[in-house]
Amino acid sequence: MKIALLGVGVVGGGVLDIVDRRDDMELKYVLVRRDKPELGSRAVKDIDVILNDNEVDTVVEVMGGLSPAYEYVSAAMKAGKNVVTANKHLVAHYYKELVSLAKEMGVAFRCTPAVGGGIPWLKNLERAARLDRIDSFCGIMNGTTNFILDNMHVNGSDFGEVLAEAQRLGYAEADPTADIDGLDIQRKCIISANVAFGACFSEEDVPVFGIRSIKACDIEAAVSMNRVCRILAFGKDCGGRVSAYVEPVFVASGELEAAVSKAMNIISFVTGLSGKESFYGQGAGRYPTAYNVVQDCVDVMQGVKSFYTDKMEDMKPDNSAEKHPYYVRFAGSDEWLESMTLEVCGDGAVICDVSVADMHAWAAKAKEVDPALFFAGIV
Ligand code: HSE
């Protein structure tokens, strides 16, 4: 296999190291923006050098972002090259276009590292879906936010300081807004829903609430309930109606998710035949993510010629029937919130069962009054 690598940041550097140690694949080019003398003649700045070289059969995209990644990946497919990417933003946004183009061109399109870093989540979700209906999936899909929440719980760390540490360790996105506002998880949720249910969701339709506004008092509230705060992605097929959302959750301390520390991820699916299966591992970082990139390349070498599913049905998630209590910390006065309140809890309140759709719609408006608003599901 002759590979061209687009991008040589945290993950790309790991791919380079792993591929260079193998004798069944060769990294012929690395597309760079700035001079990288250490890469010698492999460094190129012109994508056309890669596209026009018939020896290159596989393009590995780890540059991140939508543009020019989309243009480069599409052009590579049109030039008959397989594509492996770790770019969840690209896949979640252009899922339909890229899967269709890969199919038309007869090339492979794989993105296992895009969800769960080093965990073989998408591969196993694909395997489960080929045998049985996926009833639901749920999990911790972001290393940076789990690292922050775990440190706040265990060490009483300050949000800003622990975020800077996650950036230093190479977990966070270039713009960590995507991590702390939950957008990175939303994209991973969308890709998982595609593979699990054949559903095509748009980013604007999947409700997401991040942890930007979490404070020590919210962690204390979770602890007072014998719970641990985590941020989770959910997807559920209720026979024609599919729900999908991302929100902080106060998880009961005996649950698997509560025990997941540092930048680790855990993602589970449920099927009628298998019951619940959980996948746990390094959700972010150079070598775990690069490991899954190279695993995808090996799959392509072994003949994989497709995406994980062919099913692509445009739909909007319906979260109106997903109901549970919430913890809410809101500084303003609000009649609806007061009417729902069961008990005061520290600086916040516990409210009775509300649908996910209603809670997220209320929070979107309430944030205009109190930008420091925080809420978490209690499940
Ligand atoms: N920023 C992401 C995370 C990287 O923290 O999980 C892996 O997708």
Side-chain angles (χ1 to χ4, degrees), residues 177-196:
T177 299
D179 295 299
I180 61 179
D181 288 338
L183 302 176
D184 178 80
I185 311 173
Q186 182 198 49
R187 291 163 192 154
K188 292 166 176 171
C189 182
I190 288 172
I191 298 169
S192 299
N194 292 153
V195 177

Side-chain angles (χ1 to χ4, degrees), residues 217-297:
C217 63
D218 305 317
I219 300 288
E220 282 160 24
V223 172
S224 75
M225 296 179 212
N226 198 22
R227 288 170 180 270
V228 176
C229 186
R230 295 288 181 250
I231 178 163
L232 301 180
F234 294 89
K236 192 168 171 188
D237 180 356
C238 301
R241 185 183 67 77
V242 176
S243 73
Y245 58 97
V246 176
E247 65 184 21
V249 174
F250 287 175
V251 180
S253 59
E255 296 293 328
L256 281 179
E257 289 80 4
V260 174
S261 63
K262 300 187 180 139
M264 305 303 277
N265 284 187
I266 191 165
I267 324 177
S268 311
F269 61 69
V270 177
T271 79
L273 290 174
S274 67
K276 181 173 175 178
E277 281 191 55
S278 300
F279 298 83
Y280 168 80
Q282 304 274 353
R286 165 171 284 193
Y287 287 107
T289 312
Y291 159 88
N292 252 343
V293 170
V294 181
Q295 284 285 14
D296 277 356
C297 291

Side-chain angles (χ1 to χ4, degrees), residues 144-162:
T144 302
T145 46
N146 204 63
F147 186 79
I148 293 172
L149 292 170
D150 185 47
N151 268 284
M152 288 181 82
H153 266 283
V154 176
N155 305 318
S157 305
D158 170 75
F159 184 95
E161 279 170 22
V162 72

Side-chain angles (χ1 to χ4, degrees), residues 1 104 183 226 369:
M1 170 178 270
E104 184 189 330
L183 302 176
N226 198 22
V369 178

Side-chain angles (χ1 to χ4, degrees), residues 307-319:
F307 195 64
Y308 305 81
T309 175
D310 274 347
K311 295 187 210 136
M312 294 187 286
E313 192 184 336
D314 283 325
M315 55 172 93
K316 286 183 193 286
D318 177 353
N319 296 309

